[in-house]
Amino acid sequence: MDKYEQVIELAKRRGFLWNSFELYGGTAGFYDYGPLGSTLKRRIEQIWRETYVVQEGFMEIEAPTIGIEEVFVASGHVGGFSDPLCECKDCREAFRADHLVEDMVACADALNVEELDKIIAENNVRCPECEGELGESYEFNLMFRTNIGPGTGRQGYMRPETAQGMFVDFLRLARFYREKLPFGATQIGKSYRNEISPRQGVIRLREFTQAEAEIFIDPNNKKHANFGRFADTVVNLYSEEAQEKGIVEKISLGEAVEKGTIAHEFLAYQIGLTNHFLKRIGIAADKLRFRQHLKDEMAHYAIDCWDAEIETDRFGWVEVVGIADRTDYDLKAHANVSKTELSIYREYSEPKMVTQFVVKPNMGKLGPLFKGKAKAVADALKVLTQEELEQESITVTVDGEEVTVPGDVVDFAEETVKISGENIIPHVIEPSYGIDRIFYSTMEHAFAEEMVGGKEEDEDEEARNILRFKKEVAPVQVAILPLLTREELITPAKKIESQLKQKGLLVSYDDSGTIGRRYRRNDEIGTPYSITIDYDTLEDNTVTIRDRDSMKQIRAPIDGIEDLVYEMIYMSREFESAGKAL
Amino acid sequence: MDKYEQVIELAKRRGFLWNSFELYGGTAGFYDYGPLGSTLKRRIEQIWRETYVVQEGFMEIEAPTIGIEEVFVASGHVGGFSDPLCECKDCREAFRADHLVEDMVACADALNVEELDKIIAENNVRCPECEGELGESYEFNLMFRTNIGPGTGRQGYMRPETAQGMFVDFLRLARFYREKLPFGATQIGKSYRNEISPRQGVIRLREFTQAEAEIFIDPNNKKHANFGRFADTVVNLYSEEAQEKGIVEKISLGEAVEKGTIAHEFLAYQIGLTNHFLKRIGIAADKLRFRQHLKDEMAHYAIDCWDAEIETDRFGWVEVVGIADRTDYDLKAHANVSKTELSIYREYSEPKMVTQFVVKPNMGKLGPLFKGKAKAVADALKVLTQEELEQESITVTVDGEEVTVPGDVVDFAEETVKISGENIIPHVIEPSYGIDRIFYSTMEHAFAEEMVGGKEEDEDEEARNILRFKKEVAPVQVAILPLLTREELITPAKKIESQLKQKGLLVSYDDSGTIGRRYRRNDEIGTPYSITIDYDTLEDNTVTIRDRDSMKQIRAPIDGIEDLVYEMIYMSREFESAGKAL
């Protein structure tokens, strides 16, 4: 068993992850979060919210997961969001064409379907399932399609990312934030990709959770007001240059901006924030790096992109967050398709006097001449130069038709006007998180097997599985363990459970099996603290608290125990300071 | 403007609700939650979690929103989840056939398509849009369909409810809870219904959020261990009998169980819990009732169902929660389709001695006689009666084929055996919440317009809109208002903002416009408390706190203000006790 198998086995057995539709044989690309998995996932999402929504102030919105066609025409997903698909003519099994030839050629994923078919033919590649003949490859769109409404209803798609919801709401958001840049919005929600044949378990899902922020900033000012927070933070940077050498560089974000490795402060701040978040939820610092997109893999419109990558045992370095400066690409794309200006008005600190060439079509004359087309003709005239307008008769094109206009229906002049502001299209900085991959990495990095015990003469050494979750992330933060299932122990145990719950802590009450077995069970699900209620409790109102990692035990009073545990979990209070060592 | 329009107008303007895809003209049945709406919705969901997950202990899971066909064959949605659809032959517009005739006949929604077509023909009903001729009605399935994977991929559906995810995971859940009844699981997530032509705004959405609990209980014991909590709670009960009279009855849940109005304690407890939850988030007590399903509207398998209904201005009484005893219907349905036993083993308190008839086929003899079929023959023999087995030759049917077996290959006897337990199929109690409708009702019940001011001579009376949200539900709990945008006031204001955020409070910082305008703005979004920082603050370290509802003001010290506000919001501390009245 490799580590992936070990973690997934534990995850299934203990209620973190279950194969979806297991009762019906399952379907690739779908996982259920069980009770503990769902709680762990929500803890991760909650810390993400604290980071981006509460602290950074990028308010969360919730747009539908079903989208209409126009949105994805604008975003480019209808046209270009696809993988090359190759089907077996015999067994009808479908494969990623690039995966079929990846051992025969470098960069298979950069080839088009004609190139892929050529390599398949040259190498006589056959169906990996049945050795049958393969058909021609074609581009398969990865969006799940559906129809909205009956009959002549509209084409709909399950969104492939949450981002478009924020772009489509841009004007509403700009008004909400009173048009003051920078502002941002976030979403945490489901996204969908109809993968051709997903084979990487929880790493490649057809339905997954994203947490994305779209931050709208001034294109002329990409400094960050709070950059000082991360200027000295040292991260593992795998820049384009570093990738050529194959060596990850440890460098401070301030230096990386200064050297021009990272395009600007605002992007570097986002890398710092991602680094901070991932470590806070328990990603191992030495298994985390930021890899820059190479020139030829970066989208043509982007200025600079970095992926946070996490090292995993089976899959190597896995991309979990993308951080990009997408410029004004998205807003322009939606402006074009929707025929709506997506910009904000920025007032100058003081008005400017500007000399400009002004064209004034005479509507009194144009009206009778062109009737319904007069407005269109006027618009066409407005963009002409002085030279063109000085002709005796002027030719403009309206609705594809040439129209001749007498020179005297239009006035023009150089005028000096006062301008107090301008419309600008903000640039977009986007950190985009794949929550499921982060969830899995958190489990894998927390997972350990170790031998414990064997120190006392009568004690056998035994193996224990342990999930060393960060305390604030653990799905169960405290286990309440009455030594025996006797009324006199159950009563105080239940009382402590309720005290801790009131404090907002995640508590589990567990009274089945020996105390040793219950400790192991709680180690395995990563419970930081276990509280045992025994017969001494009835005498002196104290309980035993056991620390998951050190397995040390202390004795502490019941009175105020909820504050004690709260402080140990959220306020770095030392375990040893919380009671008398045993 | 009726109240719905007023609330929606405010909701759009202030960032609670936006029409989805507004940039592209919108699509019926979809709404976006804006920044404040999303926060309010999360507060409602969070209180639901505290109620069901933390306090009741029904752990949350997260199953995919896309489901495979088998799941919805078992649930009955593939076969029966439809509305009658009637299309215009001219303009192709689609209508709910029952809506077209609802003024001509009682209970139009109970008629089948043939009956509907008859009424349409008899009354010469034409297309409401273009007066065209209507086509024949047919049943339109309300699930959004999609395909999972390419080409020969499987049929998939967007789930019409979250419930099936819990049923499909039953065996995993039973193991997680160590098979101890009662246990339950919950989900909060998106569900989808492809409505034919939704026309009720946020009340009838094609994509909506459900919060559902599936509680598995002992079919032989429907008492509730904690029923005392709600036995004396008086609710507005609109039982089948009360509906005949047209009078809602105020009655305690204990009495309602005693009289047999509510089928049993466990269901009555759930009604009590729903009543508690809805009032806690701000639903007006006099606009909330529980309506029992009439015999002819209740699902055939259910024992008793109650809907929580909320009165709204435009739509009258709207169903927002369904609470049902669904018996073992769901588990049996999935057991049938999946060919898997869905039951739990219940150990008796002490083993029972049972006399039973035992059949022991002699495999040593059956093997040579029937080879590969021997096992099937043995299984067929095991279910025969003593009389049948006493024949010299026995005939059984195996794989549809008659097989004759000599009498001497099977032994049988009456034996007394010890049985220590049995397999039972739990019954399901399901509270199912429609979060979007509850969200809207919370806004409508909180909304008020009132005239304020005009008491002083130099003060004009003016109208204010106010959302009287419960303090713990409000999307902004505290507004921080520096009197002027001057550095010396901004610094302490930002410091207070950060103190309050650290305490987990929802804070907004607002420094634009006059203080009066900012108060109005915060009244309109329902902010319970506004804190103003002025020049006195710099002298004596105190601030003004204003109460939204009474508009009273007090002066309180900055030091410890986060605890003060926290106590007022979460621990019913009196406003007047928090500082010096102004």
Side-chain angles (χ1 to χ4, degrees):
Chain A
M1 282 216 288
D2 69 359
K3 213 164 183 184
Y4 179 79
E5 264 174 282
Q6 281 184 303
V7 171
I8 291 291
E9 187 277 327
L10 187 161
K12 285 186 182 168
R13 189 163 39 81
R14 303 311 307 273
F16 285 89
L17 287 173
W18 296 329
N19 287 99
S20 297
F21 322 118
E22 196 180 21
L23 188 62
Y24 294 101
T27 302
F30 295 95
Y31 264 91
D32 283 13
Y33 287 89
L36 294 183
S38 164
T39 311
L40 174 60
K41 180 164 180 272
R42 259 184 292 121
R43 285 301 301 144
I44 293 172
E45 291 169 353
Q46 195 47 41
I47 293 171
W48 196 92
R49 276 197 182 102
E50 278 171 34
T51 308
Y52 284 87
V53 183
V54 179
Q55 297 302 331
E56 295 293 311
F58 304 136
M59 299 282 287
E60 193 176 349
I61 68 165
E62 195 182 311
T65 58
I66 296 182
I68 59 174
E69 183 147 39
E70 292 92 321
V71 172
F72 302 114
V73 167
S75 70
H77 287 96
V78 167
F81 184 62
S82 58
D83 278 339
L85 169 73
C86 181
E87 257 174 303
C88 171
K89 286 182 175 177
D90 290 348
C91 75
R92 310 310 301 169
E93 185 73 20
F95 305 93
R96 284 271 298 263
D98 52 333
H99 289 177
L100 291 174
V101 301
E102 61 193 353
D103 296 337
M104 298 153 209
V105 62
C107 300
D109 56 354
L111 302 179
N112 65 34
V113 290
E114 288 78 22
E115 291 164 330
L116 289 165
D117 281 342
K118 200 161 156 250
I119 296 165
I120 288 172
E122 283 171 4
N123 291 274
N124 192 25
V125 180
R126 313 282 297 181
C127 171
E129 293 292 328
C130 78
E131 292 283 313
E133 196 188 338
L134 294 167
E136 277 186 13
S137 304
Y138 63 94
E139 289 293 337
F140 174 72
N141 193 294
L142 296 179
M143 285 193 290
F144 284 97
R145 300 162 74 96
T146 191
N147 286 301
I148 302 169
T152 50
R154 339 173 49 141
Q155 177 72 60
Y157 299 93
M158 301 312 298
R159 65 179 177 196
E161 57 178 25
T162 70
Q164 300 306 322
M166 277 89 87
F167 298 137
V168 168
D169 282 344
F170 172 76
L171 290 177
R172 289 282 189 187
L173 287 167
R175 214 165 309 150
F176 182 83
Y177 285 106
R178 298 194 201 102
E179 307 213 345
K180 273 189 209 158
L181 293 177
F183 65 81
T186 52
Q187 279 197 91
I188 302 181
K190 291 295 184 83
S191 293
Y192 304 80
R193 298 191 189 193
N194 199 4
E195 300 283 350
I196 291 172
S197 58
R199 289 171 215 271
Q200 289 180 282
V202 72
I203 297 296
R204 191 163 296 279
L205 294 173
R206 283 169 162 156
E207 178 175 337
F208 52 99
T209 298
Q210 284 188 311
E212 296 190 296
E214 306 301 327
I215 312 165
F216 301 97
I217 68 169
D218 186 336
N220 301 310
N221 177 14
K222 296 189 174 180
K223 296 223 168 280
H224 194 289
N226 202 15
F227 186 62
R229 179 179 173 195
F230 295 124
D232 295 331
T233 300
V234 173
V235 295
N236 297 324
L237 226 52
Y238 201 36
S239 65
E240 181 152 27
E241 201 189 316
Q243 288 170 64
E244 275 167 29
K245 296 187 206 142
I247 300 163
V248 173
E249 193 181 6
K250 279 191 193 302
I251 182 173
S252 79
L253 288 168
E255 209 187 324
V257 172
E258 230 164 77
K259 285 172 59 183
T261 311
I262 301 174
H264 51 76
E265 273 189 7
F266 210 100
L267 206 60
Y269 181 91
Q270 296 309 320
I271 291 175
L273 199 62
T274 301
N275 181 65
H276 171 80
F277 169 81
L278 291 174
K279 284 185 183 170
R280 179 170 166 194
I281 62 163
I283 297 303
D286 59 334
K287 296 186 173 178
L288 171 61
R289 71 181 185 193
F290 291 88
R291 191 182 71 78
Q292 189 168 35
H293 280 211
L294 302 177
K295 292 266 166 341
D296 60 3
E297 71 177 302
M298 192 162 70
H300 64 91
Y301 48 79
I303 285 179
D304 194 11
C305 298
W306 294 80
D307 288 341
E309 296 185 330
I310 295 177
E311 192 172 20
T312 63
D313 191 61
R314 179 184 286 192
F315 305 107
W317 289 94
V318 173
E319 174 202 343
V320 299
V321 188
I323 304 164
D325 180 339
R326 301 178 56 85
T327 68
D328 54 11
Y329 177 79
D330 307 282
L331 291 181
K332 275 189 174 161
H334 282 291
N336 279 338
V337 176
S338 68
K339 310 251 182 283
T340 308
E341 188 175 347
L342 298 181
S343 64
I344 64 163
Y345 180 72
R346 189 178 52 176
E347 201 162 295
Y348 297 136
S349 47
E350 48 190 277
K352 291 181 186 172
M353 299 308 291
V354 176
T355 305
Q356 58 183 27
F357 181 67
V358 184
V359 181
K360 296 176 186 165
N362 185 329
M363 292 308 289
K365 290 180 183 171
L366 282 173
L369 277 171
F370 297 103
K371 312 250 157 49
K373 278 194 181 162
K375 172 88 176 48
V377 172
D379 288 344
L381 290 170
K382 280 183 188 165
V383 297
L384 298 184
T385 61
Q386 181 161 357
E387 201 185 336
E388 291 167 320
L389 290 164
E390 279 167 347
Q391 307 302 318
E392 254 178 55
S393 84
I394 307 159
T395 306
V396 291
T397 307
V398 172
D399 292 338
E401 198 185 314
E402 290 217 339
V403 176
T404 304
V405 185
D408 67 345
V409 300
V410 52
D411 298 326
F412 49 90
E414 289 257 322
E415 286 182 3
T416 301
V417 291
K418 192 168 87 173
I419 298 180
S420 20
E422 63 181 334
N423 287 330
I424 57 169
I425 306 176
H427 280 195
V428 166
I429 308 296
E430 177 191 78
S432 170
Y433 286 67
I435 295 295
D436 312 85
R437 289 180 174 189
I438 291 171
F439 172 96
Y440 171 75
S441 307
T442 306
M443 285 199 73
E444 186 180 300
H445 288 194
F447 179 80
E449 289 173 295
E450 52 179 39
M451 297 306 293
V452 295
K455 283 171 206 147
E456 313 288 326
E457 239 180 73
D458 60 343
E459 191 191 35
D460 285 335
E461 208 187 32
E462 59 168 335
R464 71 163 180 165
N465 282 336
I466 179 169
L467 283 169
R468 294 186 200 279
F469 287 133
K470 293 270 186 173
K471 293 167 202 167
E472 63 165 338
V473 171
V476 176
Q477 293 169 326
V478 203
I480 307 291
L481 316 175
L483 189 66
L484 300 166
T485 47
R486 298 252 173 85
E487 203 51 42
E488 62 269 30
L489 297 181
I490 291 174
T491 308
K494 288 277 181 196
K495 204 172 145 265
I496 294 172
E497 183 193 14
S498 144
Q499 273 171 267
L500 293 165
K501 276 186 179 176
Q502 283 294 334
K503 191 79 189 173
L505 293 165
L506 300 166
V507 188
S508 100
Y509 182 94
D510 183 356
D511 63 5
S512 84
T514 66
I515 204 75
R517 214 171 136 191
R518 281 183 271 168
Y519 282 155
R520 290 287 165 277
R521 204 145 62 199
N522 277 292
D523 290 343
E524 202 177 47
I525 63 170
T527 310
Y529 301 109
S530 294
I531 295 178
T532 303
I533 292 89
D534 56 23
Y535 280 96
D536 287 346
T537 307
L538 307 182
E539 310 266 303
D540 62 3
N541 250 337
T542 65
V543 289
T544 299
I545 310 181
R546 173 183 179 272
D547 177 62
R548 174 195 68 200
D549 297 336
S550 67
M551 295 186 292
K552 283 183 184 160
Q553 305 193 351
I554 55 172
R555 198 81 192 170
I558 291 181
D559 198 38
I561 194 155
E562 67 276 26
D563 294 319
L564 204 69
V565 176
Y566 186 90
E567 286 166 18
M568 290 196 295
I569 286 175
Y570 289 109
M571 298 159 80
S572 359
R573 176 163 181 168
E574 289 285 331
F575 178 68
E576 278 78 5
S577 82
K580 223 177 75 190
L582 287 182
Chain B
M1 284 217 285
D2 69 0
K3 213 165 182 183
Y4 179 79
E5 263 174 282
Q6 282 183 303
V7 171
I8 291 292
E9 186 278 325
L10 188 160
K12 285 186 183 167
R13 191 162 38 81
R14 302 312 307 273
F16 286 89
L17 287 172
W18 296 329
N19 288 99
S20 298
F21 322 117
E22 196 181 19
L23 188 61
Y24 294 101
T27 302
F30 296 95
Y31 263 92
D32 284 13
Y33 287 89
L36 294 183
S38 164
T39 311
L40 173 61
K41 179 165 179 271
R42 260 185 290 122
R43 286 300 303 142
I44 293 172
E45 290 169 355
Q46 195 46 40
I47 293 171
W48 196 93
R49 275 196 182 102
E50 278 171 33
T51 308
Y52 284 87
V53 183
V54 179
Q55 297 303 331
E56 295 293 310
F58 304 137
M59 298 282 286
E60 193 175 350
I61 68 165
E62 193 181 313
T65 58
I66 295 181
I68 59 175
E69 184 146 39
E70 291 93 320
V71 172
F72 302 113
V73 167
S75 70
H77 287 97
V78 167
F81 184 62
S82 58
D83 277 338
L85 169 73
C86 180
E87 258 174 302
C88 171
K89 287 182 177 177
D90 291 346
C91 73
R92 312 308 301 167
E93 186 71 23
F95 304 93
R96 283 271 300 264
D98 52 334
H99 289 178
L100 292 174
V101 302
E102 62 193 354
D103 296 336
M104 298 152 208
V105 62
C107 299
D109 56 353
L111 302 178
N112 64 33
V113 290
E114 288 78 22
E115 292 164 330
L116 289 166
D117 281 342
K118 201 160 155 249
I119 297 165
I120 287 172
E122 283 170 3
N123 292 274
N124 192 27
V125 179
R126 314 281 297 181
C127 170
E129 293 292 328
C130 77
E131 292 283 314
E133 197 188 338
L134 293 167
E136 276 186 15
S137 304
Y138 63 94
E139 289 293 336
F140 174 72
N141 193 294
L142 296 179
M143 285 194 290
F144 284 97
R145 301 162 74 98
T146 192
N147 285 299
I148 302 169
T152 50
R154 331 173 57 141
Q155 177 71 59
Y157 298 92
M158 299 314 298
R159 67 179 177 195
E161 56 178 27
T162 70
Q164 299 306 322
M166 277 88 89
F167 299 137
V168 168
D169 282 343
F170 172 76
L171 289 177
R172 289 281 188 185
L173 286 168
R175 214 165 310 149
F176 181 83
Y177 286 106
R178 297 194 201 101
E179 307 212 346
K180 274 189 208 159
L181 293 177
F183 65 80
T186 52
Q187 279 197 92
I188 302 182
K190 291 294 184 84
S191 292
Y192 304 80
R193 299 192 188 191
N194 200 4
E195 299 284 351
I196 291 173
S197 58
R199 289 170 214 272
Q200 290 180 282
V202 72
I203 297 298
R204 190 162 298 276
L205 294 174
R206 283 169 162 157
E207 177 174 337
F208 51 98
T209 299
Q210 285 188 310
E212 297 190 296
E214 306 301 325
I215 313 165
F216 300 98
I217 68 170
D218 186 336
N220 301 312
N221 177 13
K222 297 189 174 178
K223 294 221 169 283
H224 194 288
N226 201 16
F227 186 63
R229 179 179 172 196
F230 295 124
D232 294 331
T233 299
V234 174
V235 294
N236 297 325
L237 228 51
Y238 201 36
S239 65
E240 182 153 28
E241 201 188 316
Q243 287 169 65
E244 275 167 30
K245 295 185 207 147
I247 301 163
V248 173
E249 193 181 9
K250 278 190 192 303
I251 183 173
S252 80
L253 289 167
E255 208 188 323
V257 172
E258 229 164 76
K259 284 172 60 182
T261 311
I262 301 174
H264 50 77
E265 272 189 8
F266 210 99
L267 206 59
Y269 181 90
Q270 296 308 321
I271 292 175
L273 198 62
T274 301
N275 182 65
H276 172 78
F277 169 81
L278 291 174
K279 285 185 183 170
R280 180 170 165 195
I281 61 162
I283 297 302
D286 60 333
K287 295 185 173 179
L288 171 61
R289 72 182 185 192
F290 291 87
R291 192 183 69 79
Q292 190 169 36
H293 281 210
L294 302 177
K295 292 265 165 343
D296 59 4
E297 69 176 304
M298 193 161 69
H300 64 91
Y301 48 78
I303 285 178
D304 194 10
C305 298
W306 294 80
D307 288 342
E309 295 184 330
I310 294 178
E311 192 171 19
T312 62
D313 191 61
R314 181 185 286 192
F315 306 108
W317 289 95
V318 173
E319 174 201 345
V320 298
V321 187
I323 304 163
D325 180 339
R326 302 178 55 86
T327 70
D328 55 11
Y329 177 79
D330 308 282
L331 291 180
K332 275 189 173 162
H334 282 290
N336 278 339
V337 176
S338 68
K339 310 253 180 283
T340 308
E341 189 175 345
L342 298 181
S343 64
I344 63 164
Y345 181 73
R346 190 178 51 178
E347 201 162 295
Y348 297 137
S349 47
E350 48 190 275
K352 291 180 186 171
M353 299 307 293
V354 176
T355 305
Q356 58 182 28
F357 181 67
V358 183
V359 182
K360 297 177 185 166
N362 186 329
M363 291 310 287
K365 290 181 183 168
L366 281 172
L369 275 172
F370 297 102
K371 311 251 158 47
K373 278 194 180 164
K375 172 85 176 47
V377 172
D379 287 345
L381 290 170
K382 279 183 189 167
V383 298
L384 297 184
T385 60
Q386 180 160 1
E387 201 183 335
E388 291 167 321
L389 290 164
E390 278 167 348
Q391 308 301 320
E392 253 177 55
S393 84
I394 307 161
T395 306
V396 290
T397 307
V398 172
D399 293 338
E401 200 186 312
E402 289 219 338
V403 175
T404 304
V405 185
D408 66 346
V409 299
V410 52
D411 297 327
F412 49 88
E414 288 256 325
E415 286 183 3
T416 299
V417 292
K418 192 167 86 173
I419 296 180
S420 17
E422 64 182 333
N423 288 331
I424 57 168
I425 305 176
H427 279 194
V428 166
I429 309 296
E430 176 190 78
S432 170
Y433 286 66
I435 295 295
D436 312 86
R437 290 181 173 188
I438 291 171
F439 172 96
Y440 172 74
S441 308
T442 305
M443 284 200 72
E444 186 180 302
H445 288 194
F447 178 80
E449 289 173 295
E450 52 180 37
M451 297 306 292
V452 296
K455 283 171 206 148
E456 312 288 325
E457 241 179 72
D458 60 344
E459 192 192 35
D460 285 335
E461 208 187 30
E462 58 168 335
R464 71 163 181 168
N465 282 335
I466 180 170
L467 283 169
R468 294 185 200 279
F469 288 134
K470 293 268 187 175
K471 294 168 202 165
E472 64 165 336
V473 171
V476 175
Q477 293 170 328
V478 203
I480 308 290
L481 316 175
L483 189 65
L484 300 166
T485 46
R486 298 253 173 86
E487 204 50 42
E488 63 268 29
L489 296 182
I490 292 173
T491 308
K494 288 278 181 193
K495 204 174 144 263
I496 295 172
E497 182 192 14
S498 144
Q499 273 171 268
L500 293 165
K501 276 186 178 176
Q502 283 295 336
K503 190 80 190 173
L505 293 166
L506 299 166
V507 188
S508 99
Y509 182 93
D510 184 355
D511 62 6
S512 85
T514 66
I515 204 76
R517 217 174 134 188
R518 281 183 270 168
Y519 282 155
R520 289 290 164 276
R521 203 146 62 200
N522 276 291
D523 289 343
E524 202 177 47
I525 63 171
T527 310
Y529 301 110
S530 295
I531 295 179
T532 303
I533 293 89
D534 55 25
Y535 280 95
D536 287 346
T537 307
L538 305 181
E539 309 267 303
D540 62 4
N541 250 338
T542 64
V543 290
T544 299
I545 310 181
R546 174 183 177 271
D547 177 64
R548 174 195 68 200
D549 296 338
S550 68
M551 294 186 290
K552 283 183 184 159
Q553 305 193 353
I554 54 172
R555 198 80 192 171
I558 291 180
D559 198 39
I561 196 157
E562 67 275 26
D563 293 319
L564 202 70
V565 176
Y566 186 90
E567 286 167 19
M568 290 195 295
I569 287 175
Y570 290 108
M571 298 160 80
S572 1
R573 175 162 181 171
E574 290 283 332
F575 177 69
E576 279 78 6
S577 82
K580 222 178 75 188
L582 287 181

